[in-house]
Amino acid sequence: MTQEFDVVVAGAGMVGAALATGLGQNGFRVALVDRETAPDVASGSAPDIRVSALSAGSERYLRSLGAWPEMAAMGITPYRRLAVWDQTSHPLGALLPRRLGEVVFDAADLGASHLGHIVENRITQRALWQSAAQQPSVTLLSGNGVTAVEQGSEQAVVVLEDNTRLACQLVIAADGATSRLRDMAGIGVSRDQYGQQALVASVRYRGPVEDITWQAFHPSGPRAFLPLHSAGPSHPGESWASLVWYDAPATLARLKALDAPSFLAEVQRAFPADLPALTHVDARASFPIARQHARDYARGRIVLVGDAAHTINPLAGQGVNLGFQDAQCLQAIIREARRAGEDLAVPQRLAAYEQQRRPANRRMMLAMDLFYHLFSNRIPPLHLLRNLGLGAARALPFARNQVARYAMGIEEDLPPLIRQLAARIPGASHL
Ligand SMILES: Cc1cc2nc3c(=O)[nH]c(=O)nc-3n(C[C@H](O)[C@H](O)[C@H](O)COP(=O)(O)OP(=O)(O)OC[C@H]3O[C@@H](n4cnc5c(N)ncnc54)[C@H](O)[C@@H]3O)c2cc1C
């Protein structure tokens, strides 16, 4: 039997679940489908290995969807300060300030209570599943993946693993970076694999929950600290954090293979002295890093959002923040189509979605690369002065600051001059 909906959202990750909730709030009949079952969030358990830095804009969006109070009840960690600096050692180290080009943001300077929150992905996803399920017009189908999409002139039919058939006007592919629906739509990607990978580790440290997140740039890649919640009564005086170590795959493979005490000792040695004393490592996992952009955001009745449309270097943690912006934009476009009495998959509307989102997503991709290049270079500052001239060297801290503000979601847009600089990054024209 075929069930009828307005929209099928394939993939109930953070982005798909948010979009389904928003559409449900607007009365659309939505099927939200995921091949996995609900993420488990047992209280007192070790954190999810996957965490995200959610910007103030994402917080506003999640509040509007009604998910934020549930997330706060499960555990979110505000950060009030954010620091990035160049940790490259150079021959003139003794003569130069300890942290050349350090950029620090403090919420107090911006008149805000916090800059953002570090949240475990399973918490955001679970809260969004609950918000989606509370919408009378949303049907959540979990543990049942999409296997096929049949596109027709009047509607599309989404076929699930158990042969359930879901008819709709519009299929939203929110099924992540390796999107099968993108393939089913015949949409290709442009992709650049970075030489580095990211090793993420959930650790406990001695001390209270920190209110700072930081990232130190080494020539081999950044090393980052993201604070999480208190470890609770079972480990008094300790807190959880997520560490990210970007490096060559071979280095990370060696680190992953170390036993826990050796791993902790190596991290303690290799990370900056700002890292508190570590007491325990829970999970460790490494992720390949790629800049990937779909060649089209829509084809026929299938439209892409979130990681299905784009993945960026996670070094400033903006992936899901961009996905939430896609979701808000697409929701507005779908509402306009309904108001105008149109088919929800009318090509002009889907083209308008792409016209709004592609340049913004591309800009953030390029800012990540610019950010990366501005911080991780091996060039000693005097060499820079000689080669670039004093003016350019003086402009560098300014550029770092501007790019960092944008990349961290503190500033809405890049200044025009830096935007032009970003457009000159190798590979920029293919995006
Ligand atoms: C190391 C690392 C650190 C990161 N840190 C940050 C950060 O600090 N801040 C940030 O904003 N972003 C960060 N990101 C990026 C962020 O994790 C992603 O942008 C985000 O998870 C994308 O969400 P999504 O909902 O689009 O896709 P996903 O989270 O990939 O969700 C896709 C969903 O689709 C489901 N699915 C897949 N195939 C099917 C199918 N055939 N049928 C049905 N369901 C299907 C999956 O089960 C899954 O639930 C990081 C990424 C990495 C690798």
Side-chain angles (χ1 to χ4, degrees), residues 79-84 103-116 211-213 401 405 410:
Y79 57 92
R80 293 176 181 84
R81 292 173 300 140
L82 185 158
V84 277
V103 181
V104 184
F105 301 108
D106 193 322
D109 298 339
L110 304 171
S113 61
H114 56 268
L115 295 174
D211 70 350
I212 185 167
T213 177
N401 202 311
R405 287 176 80 87
I410 293 166

Side-chain angles (χ1 to χ4, degrees), residues 11 13-15 34-36 52-53 145-146 174-176 307 317-321:
M14 295 183 281
V15 175
D34 205 287
R35 62 181 175 198
E36 305 292 337
S52 296
V146 174
D175 53 342
D307 274 23
Q318 286 301 317
V320 77
N321 293 311

